[in-house]
Amino acid sequence: MTRPRILVVGAGFAGVGCVKRLERRLTEREARITLLSPFSYQLYLPLLPQVAAGVLTPQSVALSLRRSQKHRTRIVPGGAVGVDTAAKAVVVRTISGEYDVEPYDHLVLAPGSVTRTFDIPGLADHARGMKTLAEAVYVRDHVIAQLDLADASDDDAERAARLQFVVVGGGYAGTETAACLQLLTHNAVKRYPRLDPALIKWHLVDIAPKLMPELGDKLGKAAMDVLTRRGIQVSLGVSVASVDDETVTLTDGRVLPCRTLIWTAGVAASPLVGTVGAETLRGRLVVTPEMAVPGTDGVWALGDAAAVPDLAKDEAGSICPPTAQHAMRQGKALADNLVATLRGEPTHPYVHKDLGLVVDLGGMDGVSKPLGVELHGPAAQAVARGYHWAALRTNVAKTRVMTNWLLNAVAGDDYVRTGFLASKAGTLRDFEYTDAYLTPEQTRLHTGAFRGAVG
């Protein structure tokens, strides 16, 4: 008897959680498991701002998929660019740029999300993101480079422009990025005696009327107080009208001389979702409470790419937010449902009550809401770091992160540029638009042989 082929797309919280559960619950004779990912690691995304600030090393938040000697999952290094549900096959572009086809009996779609952008003049060509490990490393290099260049310049206007930084997005990612990077420049400028610290200006811009509204008014105000105390100018109800290589123009008419725009204004489901040909809701695949994609044979979806019903809420039509907390648990729940399907057992709906939110603002500052308890200051920061540390998947990662935190607290930072992408702009277009997803017609050209086999 041929073993069923399970293909998992994406090595984020959802995909890796699903694979690990499948490996534990299925014997080798029950199924063949394949994991499709461009990178051989799982990225612990919530800690990226600390990588950009130099508090953590990149390796500490990149959890190797190959470290375990016990895993039996086949790992394919590439990105899914098209899904043909009729042929039960996925088109893959490998890291060498070649196209291949992976057939499946059960497909688990966990491709995650990409930075949400808008049709703003100059945005894709001049903004930096904070969605990938490479972007975080690049942003750190870029910010330190602005200090170096400002220090070397005798032009007052150039100095002012290089020392003005704009972060767009008042959610968790944007707020933590602005807070952590402001601490980086605040501490680093002490090593630049020619620079006036007063020239360094950080702006946090968001179109929403409140900062991190999910935290509530009290904690939102506490976070705002921390940012204001540090000199970060927060502009709410404002967005970016246009950007070029020397200025950022805001929708309130202000024109900021600026060489650094960091864009963290939310996420959108991976464009792979659009190749499936199934119903979507707010750009995410519609799924049942068991995370199966209706109208397809053997296709499941979860995480940021799926509109998983949030049954823990009383509101009709609620869907789970795209957070690591839900993605990790959805991975395990979907794996259990997939195992049940293979064994002819009943499946179960995904239900999880949100455990709360944590925001690490760097230094001794944070705001957290664990189990509904509102905290701010050092206690909140301790809860935030404790949560992230406990959520890391391996003991090696936990050791690296804890060591980094202790070393940074004792020895500080050396503010070293690695020269990463020194000859390129390192913009959103460079990092996040590298995958060209296929049209249905292009996908079928690659999967034609499989369509015949299925038929």
Side-chain angles (χ1 to χ4, degrees):
M1 180 179 178
T2 303
R3 291 178 297 166
R5 298 164 297 188
I6 300 174
L7 177 60
V8 180
V9 175
F13 291 105
V16 171
C18 181
V19 166
K20 293 298 179 184
R21 187 76 150 210
L22 289 172
E23 285 187 331
R24 283 195 294 269
R25 294 207 55 200
L26 290 174
T27 65
E28 191 169 357
R29 289 180 296 179
E30 286 184 284
R32 289 182 293 172
I33 308 171
T34 299
L35 176 61
L36 178 60
S37 172
F39 308 107
S40 60
Y41 60 80
Q42 175 197 353
L43 176 63
Y44 193 85
L45 192 64
L47 291 178
L48 275 189
Q50 295 190 40
V51 173
V55 176
L56 298 176
T57 61
Q59 188 180 11
S60 63
V61 300
L63 286 65
S64 173
L65 298 177
R66 299 186 184 275
R67 187 169 186 87
S68 172
Q69 296 179 354
K70 298 179 181 180
H71 73 76
R72 66 176 189 274
T73 296
R74 170 175 166 251
I75 300 174
V76 176
V81 294
V83 177
D84 188 340
T85 56
K88 303 196 78 169
V90 173
V91 180
V92 181
R93 192 170 69 242
T94 67
I95 57 175
S96 62
E98 300 170 343
Y99 287 96
D100 200 355
V101 178
E102 285 289 334
Y104 67 84
D105 295 299
H106 288 275
L107 173 64
V108 178
L109 291 172
S113 55
V114 296
T115 299
R116 181 180 61 186
T117 58
F118 302 95
D119 189 18
I120 297 173
L123 182 65
D125 294 316
H126 299 289
R128 277 84 187 174
M130 188 61 71
K131 183 65 175 166
T132 67
L133 186 59
E135 284 177 309
V137 175
Y138 174 79
V139 164
R140 173 176 167 81
D141 261 21
H142 175 79
V143 169
I144 295 175
Q146 301 316 299
L147 297 177
D148 288 344
L149 292 168
D151 181 69
S153 177
D154 293 321
D155 185 314
D156 290 342
E158 181 185 355
R159 277 190 171 192
R162 292 196 180 279
L163 296 178
Q164 188 152 224
F165 306 89
V166 178
V167 178
V168 181
Y172 308 115
T175 302
E176 289 185 331
T177 296
C180 290
L181 288 177
Q182 186 276 333
L183 278 182
L184 168 67
T185 57
H186 172 77
N187 294 324
V189 75
K190 300 170 186 176
R191 313 290 178 89
Y192 296 84
R194 296 184 70 238
L195 293 182
D196 180 2
L199 286 177
I200 299 179
K201 298 179 180 178
W202 281 88
H203 300 262
L204 179 60
V205 176
D206 193 73
I207 195 65
K210 293 182 180 180
L211 192 69
M212 295 183 291
E214 298 88 348
L215 286 173
D217 292 340
K218 181 180 177 181
L219 291 184
K221 182 180 183 303
M224 180 75 82
D225 290 343
V226 170
L227 301 182
T228 303
R229 185 177 73 245
R230 294 187 190 172
I232 300 175
Q233 182 174 334
V234 181
S235 300
L236 300 176
V238 177
S239 188
V240 173
S242 65
V243 55
D244 57 35
D245 57 354
E246 294 188 351
T247 62
V248 174
T249 302
L250 303 181
T251 53
D252 62 4
R254 282 180 291 164
V255 179
L256 305 177
C258 175
R259 306 292 175 89
T260 307
L261 173 64
I262 302 173
W263 184 268
T264 63
V267 296
S270 166
L272 182 66
V273 166
T275 74
V276 178
E279 183 184 358
T280 60
L281 175 65
R282 302 175 207 166
R284 300 161 71 181
L285 281 170
V286 171
V287 296
T288 67
E290 294 76 20
M291 290 172 283
V293 179
T296 63
D297 181 16
V299 181
W300 310 74
L302 71 166
D304 293 6
V308 180
D310 193 347
L311 302 183
K313 291 185 178 179
D314 296 330
E315 305 170 20
S318 293
I319 60 175
C320 296
T323 63
Q325 181 180 153
H326 279 287
M328 287 188 288
R329 289 165 176 81
Q330 287 171 8
K332 296 176 181 178
L334 192 151
D336 288 342
N337 282 338
L338 185 46
V339 170
T341 299
L342 292 175
R343 295 174 178 173
E345 300 170 354
T347 58
H348 301 282
Y350 169 77
V351 183
H352 170 66
K353 184 174 176 59
D354 207 307
L355 298 177
L357 304 165
V358 295
V359 181
D360 187 335
L361 298 176
M364 297 298 291
D365 294 311
V367 289
S368 300
K369 196 175 182 180
L371 301 175
V373 179
E374 296 184 338
L375 300 172
H376 61 86
Q381 200 254 21
V383 169
R385 293 203 172 182
Y387 173 81
H388 290 312
W389 184 84
L392 290 166
R393 183 169 50 82
T394 67
N395 289 330
V396 172
K398 291 179 180 180
T399 302
R400 285 197 177 114
V401 167
M402 184 60 72
T403 302
N404 283 181
W405 280 338
L406 293 174
L407 183 61
N408 184 265
V410 173
D413 196 341
D414 287 327
Y415 313 108
V416 173
R417 281 187 295 116
T418 62
F420 184 67
L421 270 184
S423 62
K424 295 190 68 177
T427 62
L428 285 171
R429 187 179 300 283
D430 294 308
F431 286 110
E432 299 198 32
Y433 295 159
T434 56
D435 284 342
Y437 293 88
L438 304 181
T439 65
E441 293 76 16
Q442 292 170 327
T443 299
R444 286 194 290 270
L445 288 175
H446 290 279
T447 61
F450 294 89
R451 293 175 70 88
V454 172

